mmCIF file with all atom_site columns, all heavy atoms in Angstrom:
data_model
loop_
_atom_site.group_PDB
_atom_site.id
_atom_site.type_symbol
_atom_site.label_atom_id
_atom_site.label_alt_id
_atom_site.label_comp_id
_atom_site.label_asym_id
_atom_site.label_entity_id
_atom_site.label_seq_id
_atom_site.pdbx_PDB_ins_code
_atom_site.Cartn_x
_atom_site.Cartn_y
_atom_site.Cartn_z
_atom_site.occupancy
_atom_site.B_iso_or_equiv
_atom_site.pdbx_formal_charge
_atom_site.auth_seq_id
_atom_site.auth_comp_id
_atom_site.auth_asym_id
_atom_site.auth_atom_id
_atom_site.pdbx_PDB_model_num
ATOM 1  N N   . VAL I 1 9  ? -1.967  13.206 3.843   1.00 0.00 ? 9  VAL I N   1
ATOM 2  C CA  . VAL I 1 9  ? -2.505  14.147 2.864   1.00 0.00 ? 9  VAL I CA  1
ATOM 3  C C   . VAL I 1 9  ? -3.136  15.341 3.567   1.00 0.00 ? 9  VAL I C   1
ATOM 4  O O   . VAL I 1 9  ? -2.959  16.493 3.147   1.00 0.00 ? 9  VAL I O   1
ATOM 5  C CB  . VAL I 1 9  ? -3.518  13.442 1.934   1.00 0.00 ? 9  VAL I CB  1
ATOM 6  C CG1 . VAL I 1 9  ? -4.212  14.440 1.026   1.00 0.00 ? 9  VAL I CG1 1
ATOM 7  C CG2 . VAL I 1 9  ? -2.830  12.363 1.121   1.00 0.00 ? 9  VAL I CG2 1
ATOM 8  N N   . LYS I 1 38 ? 0.662   55.921 -0.433  1.00 0.00 ? 38 LYS I N   1
ATOM 9  C CA  . LYS I 1 38 ? 0.257   56.718 0.716   1.00 0.00 ? 38 LYS I CA  1
ATOM 10 C C   . LYS I 1 38 ? -0.771  57.781 0.346   1.00 0.00 ? 38 LYS I C   1
ATOM 11 O O   . LYS I 1 38 ? -1.803  57.911 1.011   1.00 0.00 ? 38 LYS I O   1
ATOM 12 C CB  . LYS I 1 38 ? 1.475   57.361 1.369   1.00 0.00 ? 38 LYS I CB  1
ATOM 13 C CG  . LYS I 1 38 ? 1.136   58.120 2.633   1.00 0.00 ? 38 LYS I CG  1
ATOM 14 C CD  . LYS I 1 38 ? 2.378   58.672 3.306   1.00 0.00 ? 38 LYS I CD  1
ATOM 15 C CE  . LYS I 1 38 ? 1.989   59.378 4.576   1.00 0.00 ? 38 LYS I CE  1
ATOM 16 N NZ  . LYS I 1 38 ? 3.141   59.893 5.295   1.00 0.00 ? 38 LYS I NZ  1
ATOM 17 N N   . HIS I 1 43 ? -6.324  59.860 0.457   1.00 0.00 ? 43 HIS I N   1
ATOM 18 C CA  . HIS I 1 43 ? -7.488  60.384 -0.265  1.00 0.00 ? 43 HIS I CA  1
ATOM 19 C C   . HIS I 1 43 ? -8.718  59.508 0.005   1.00 0.00 ? 43 HIS I C   1
ATOM 20 O O   . HIS I 1 43 ? -9.809  60.018 0.264   1.00 0.00 ? 43 HIS I O   1
ATOM 21 C CB  . HIS I 1 43 ? -7.200  60.449 -1.757  1.00 0.00 ? 43 HIS I CB  1
ATOM 22 C CG  . HIS I 1 43 ? -8.389  60.835 -2.572  1.00 0.00 ? 43 HIS I CG  1
ATOM 23 N ND1 . HIS I 1 43 ? -8.931  62.105 -2.526  1.00 0.00 ? 43 HIS I ND1 1
ATOM 24 C CD2 . HIS I 1 43 ? -9.163  60.126 -3.429  1.00 0.00 ? 43 HIS I CD2 1
ATOM 25 C CE1 . HIS I 1 43 ? -9.990  62.153 -3.327  1.00 0.00 ? 43 HIS I CE1 1
ATOM 26 N NE2 . HIS I 1 43 ? -10.138 60.956 -3.890  1.00 0.00 ? 43 HIS I NE2 1
ATOM 27 N N   . LEU I 1 54 ? -21.817 63.516 -4.828  1.00 0.00 ? 54 LEU I N   1
ATOM 28 C CA  . LEU I 1 54 ? -21.497 62.719 -6.013  1.00 0.00 ? 54 LEU I CA  1
ATOM 29 C C   . LEU I 1 54 ? -22.794 62.492 -6.768  1.00 0.00 ? 54 LEU I C   1
ATOM 30 O O   . LEU I 1 54 ? -23.733 61.906 -6.281  1.00 0.00 ? 54 LEU I O   1
ATOM 31 C CB  . LEU I 1 54 ? -20.875 61.387 -5.606  1.00 0.00 ? 54 LEU I CB  1
ATOM 32 C CG  . LEU I 1 54 ? -19.526 61.462 -4.932  1.00 0.00 ? 54 LEU I CG  1
ATOM 33 C CD1 . LEU I 1 54 ? -19.047 60.065 -4.536  1.00 0.00 ? 54 LEU I CD1 1
ATOM 34 C CD2 . LEU I 1 54 ? -18.506 62.114 -5.842  1.00 0.00 ? 54 LEU I CD2 1
ATOM 35 N N   . VAL I 1 55 ? -22.826 63.011 -7.989  1.00 0.00 ? 55 VAL I N   1
ATOM 36 C CA  . VAL I 1 55 ? -24.048 62.876 -8.800  1.00 0.00 ? 55 VAL I CA  1
ATOM 37 C C   . VAL I 1 55 ? -23.789 62.019 -9.989  1.00 0.00 ? 55 VAL I C   1
ATOM 38 O O   . VAL I 1 55 ? -22.782 61.876 -10.533 1.00 0.00 ? 55 VAL I O   1
ATOM 39 C CB  . VAL I 1 55 ? -24.542 64.259 -9.245  1.00 0.00 ? 55 VAL I CB  1
ATOM 40 C CG1 . VAL I 1 55 ? -25.807 64.117 -10.089 1.00 0.00 ? 55 VAL I CG1 1
ATOM 41 C CG2 . VAL I 1 55 ? -24.776 65.136 -8.045  1.00 0.00 ? 55 VAL I CG2 1
#
Side-chain angles (χ1 to χ4, degrees):
V9 173
K38 184 176 182 178
H43 174 69
L54 294 178
V55 180

